Amino acid sequence: AVVSTQSTGDTMIDNKRAANISGVVAAFNTIMAAQRGEVPCKVTSARPLSEDHLEALREALGKFLKENEKLLLETATDEALIGGMVVEVGDKRVDMSTATKIRKLKAALAMPL
């Protein structure tokens, strides 16, 4: 595997594609994680989540996994969310933030009757 990886890297460099190497590595890591049954999930909240909230979140998200899958939970904070959270699993995104709710409400109120 090392030889083919080195060969791939050398070929990309020779063809002036060195800037794309990190993307190739990221794609490879995604494929390998999927092969291992790992499901990456990023949860962004306005404030850090308590251990109790994290455990409840892991339990709730775990119900969507298949038997052989493992949740890889990553957390982040973003005060701009005001409250609530944004959950990203694979290419799916659920935005339950207060900021988005306010933005949608403002847009609805701005529409003519």
Side-chain angles (χ1 to χ4, degrees):
V2 173
V3 173
S4 65
T5 303
Q6 185 176 8
S7 176
T8 301
D10 290 343
T11 301
M12 291 182 74
I13 291 169
D14 291 345
N15 290 307
K16 298 180 181 11
R17 301 278 190 242
N20 298 344
I21 290 175
S22 62
V24 171
V25 171
F28 177 77
N29 287 337
T30 299
I31 292 168
M32 291 308 298
Q35 184 68 28
R36 291 187 297 266
E38 298 171 348
V39 179
C41 176
K42 182 177 180 182
V43 176
T44 306
S45 57
R47 287 172 282 296
L49 298 172
S50 69
E51 281 303 315
D52 288 342
H53 284 123
L54 283 171
E55 189 55 40
L57 191 58
R58 280 188 193 96
E59 186 177 322
L61 292 169
K63 292 178 182 178
F64 294 99
L65 299 177
K66 296 176 185 167
E67 189 175 312
N68 61 339
E69 292 179 328
K70 177 185 175 189
L71 182 70
L72 298 179
L73 185 61
E74 174 189 347
T75 59
T77 57
D78 181 357
E79 291 180 1
L81 297 179
I82 302 171
M85 65 181 65
V86 177
V87 180
E88 298 171 84
V89 180
D91 61 349
K92 307 280 190 273
R93 185 173 196 268
V94 179
D95 188 339
M96 301 170 283
S97 69
T98 303
T100 295
K101 290 177 184 177
I102 290 171
R103 192 169 36 256
K104 287 180 179 180
L105 184 57
K106 280 184 179 179
L109 291 172
M111 295 194 62
L113 294 176

